[in-house]
Amino acid sequence: MSPTTPTYDVIVIGLGGMGSAAAHHLSARGARVLGLERYGPVHRHGSSHGGSRVTRQSYFEDPAYVPLLLRAYELYEQVERDTGREIALLCGGVMVGRPDGRVVSGARLSAETWGLPHEMLDAREIRRRFPTLTPRDDEVALYEERAGLVRPENTVAAHLQLATRQGAELRFEEPVVRWEPCGGGVRVHTPEDAYTAGQLVICPGAWAPGLLADLGVPFTIERQVMYWFQPTGGVGPFLPERHPIYVWEDAAGVQVYGFPAIDGPDLGAKVAFFRRGTVCTPDTIDRTVHAHEVAAMADHMSRQVPLLPGRLLKAVTCMYTTTPDEHFVIARHPAHPESVTVACGFSGHGFKFVPVVGEIVADLALDGTTAHPVGLFDPRRITGPLDAAAAAAPA
């Protein structure tokens, strides 16, 4: 370490969705924060991009997520007030499928468990309220007025803005090569220098398998594609006041999610498959979207939202970092519980939680615990109890 390198309270590795929020919450509490990011600010190489991400409270994945979502909504409103940036658009949303399918039954369970306002709609009522959607007669929907979307680029930019305003030092185009425990704290190495801090927060996204190899969680990195179509007849029927966000599960269990037209006629409306990706790494991902992929997406949507796949306007890739059970990893590192906090493995459904994950990570790094319910996210649910040999292993 060079003599001029300062010692920080906390180093944050990764400044995408979760890392930018962590840098904000840590610096807001007075911590001396260094943030390190391998790319530039608000980049498109990982997961925190694409113009929109679904947000919803009737959470079909597990009712345990609902308290975190309620807090995330509060924090998104606070970030909007503090930065003046548009973050969330609550245009309403439908979870569509068969009544006993995972999406509908799971969403209904969360809504009823937590007393969330919602309506159950049969196929005829879905078609009446939302003429762009054409469900089968045996499909139903849970409608949630407080569902909608959040804007990932604006969210990351807002958290970086707040972190900088609060005194955080953010370094871009400076990838982390390795990290290691050091004298009760940590040392982090980059091609530029080595930095020390009392605490380390690792929010690595798709780079988790390399930076967190000692965590023992078998992450799977998946290439996903997002599509923007120009609807037949134009975007009018797809504007937010007429067309909701949707998560739609067909009889075969294939899920898609989609959005209203929020960025004008030039970008149309966005749609994507949920969990239909291909395994990759950040170094091997194919960034080209192929004609057969576009055709498969258009064919699928022609049955559910037939006006949507008029003409492809744009398609881009992103990555999911998925755990075996599709639940998050947010915890003190079991092998380094005194000095390292991890937030990773968000499995394709994490962005809506960004601000509350930042708050949780700040709690864990500065206080060693959090009042938020995060027991579901302990990595030891996957790896099993930590043995002495694993605890002694270097990072």
Side-chain angles (χ1 to χ4, degrees):
M1 183 176 66
S2 66
T4 59
T5 301
T7 298
Y8 300 90
D9 295 324
V10 188
I11 296 173
V12 178
I13 299 177
L15 293 173
M18 306 307 175
S20 63
H24 158 49
H25 283 279
L26 288 161
S27 57
R29 301 186 194 186
R32 293 170 296 166
V33 175
L34 171 66
L36 297 169
E37 168 58 53
R38 67 173 52 240
Y39 296 109
V42 198
H43 63 80
R44 297 185 175 187
H45 299 284
S47 305
S48 299
H49 66 100
S52 56
R53 289 287 186 273
V54 167
T55 190
R56 49 195 166 87
Q57 295 180 351
S58 301
Y59 215 60
F60 69 79
E61 287 83 351
D62 196 305
Y65 287 88
V66 173
L68 301 180
L69 286 162
L70 299 177
R71 178 58 175 158
Y73 273 51
E74 295 174 348
L75 290 171
Y76 272 125
E77 291 178 1
Q78 184 65 53
V79 171
E80 287 184 322
R81 289 193 296 269
D82 290 345
T83 65
R85 296 178 183 267
E86 180 192 59
I87 302 294
L89 173 62
L90 302 184
C91 56
V94 286
M95 312 302 123
V96 187
R98 292 188 173 183
D100 59 350
R102 183 187 183 197
V103 167
V104 172
S105 65
R108 188 169 189 171
L109 175 62
S110 282
E112 292 176 349
T113 299
W114 292 97
L116 301 175
H118 68 285
E119 297 177 69
M120 297 305 302
L121 312 179
D122 62 18
R124 179 180 295 181
E125 183 65 8
I126 297 169
R127 298 185 200 110
R128 187 188 72 80
R129 289 204 200 180
F130 308 112
T132 50
L133 309 182
T134 58
R136 293 162 49 101
D137 288 343
D138 61 349
E139 292 180 318
V140 300
L142 180 144
Y143 173 72
E144 180 186 324
E145 186 177 12
R146 292 278 289 168
L149 61 96
V150 292
R151 292 185 173 274
E153 290 89 348
N154 283 6
T155 301
V156 175
H159 283 132
L160 295 177
Q161 175 186 339
L162 292 171
T164 301
R165 182 189 300 173
Q166 293 151 183
E169 180 182 344
L170 308 181
R171 293 176 174 260
F172 298 96
E173 308 290 347
E174 190 167 347
V176 170
V177 176
R178 69 182 189 277
W179 60 271
E180 62 205 6
C182 172
V186 292
R187 179 179 287 120
V188 176
H189 299 265
T190 76
E192 306 298 323
D193 213 331
Y195 308 95
T196 61
Q199 294 290 321
L200 176 63
V201 168
I202 306 178
C203 302
W207 288 262
L211 284 171
L212 289 172
D214 67 329
L215 190 62
V217 175
F219 299 107
T220 300
I221 311 305
E222 301 172 14
R223 171 187 176 273
Q224 305 288 338
V225 183
M226 300 173 281
Y227 305 84
W228 286 257
F229 287 99
Q230 175 64 54
T232 300
V235 299
F238 290 82
L239 295 175
E241 59 269 24
R242 302 175 68 184
H243 179 81
I245 66 96
Y246 53 91
V247 179
W248 199 321
E249 180 183 31
D250 69 12
V254 176
Q255 297 175 16
V256 295
Y257 63 96
F259 300 84
I262 57 173
D263 291 312
D266 292 340
L267 275 182
K270 175 184 166 186
V271 67
F273 285 112
F274 188 42
R275 309 200 184 287
R276 202 178 181 183
T278 56
V279 175
C280 68
T281 73
D283 295 326
T284 64
I285 181 173
D286 180 2
R287 297 287 185 182
T288 301
V289 178
H290 302 278
H292 68 88
E293 296 176 303
V294 177
M297 184 83 262
D299 178 68
H300 190 93
M301 296 314 298
S302 68
R303 297 185 292 274
Q304 296 178 337
V305 191
L307 292 179
L308 177 62
R311 178 169 59 90
L312 181 72
L313 299 174
K314 183 175 74 167
V316 301
T317 61
C318 71
M319 289 180 283
Y320 288 180
T321 305
T322 303
T323 63
D325 60 6
E326 299 175 0
H327 293 306
F328 308 158
V329 173
I330 311 172
R332 287 289 213 169
H333 195 309
H336 314 283
E338 294 82 14
S339 57
V340 181
T341 300
V342 298
C344 54
F346 289 94
S347 302
H349 63 111
F351 198 90
K352 61 186 72 66
F353 296 88
V354 157
V356 71
V357 171
E359 187 171 67
I360 291 166
V361 165
D363 290 344
L364 295 175
L366 298 180
D367 304 328
T369 188
T370 181
H372 289 293
V374 295
L376 179 61
F377 310 136
D378 191 319
R380 289 172 292 188
R381 73 183 190 273
I382 298 169
T383 62
L386 188 70
D387 60 32

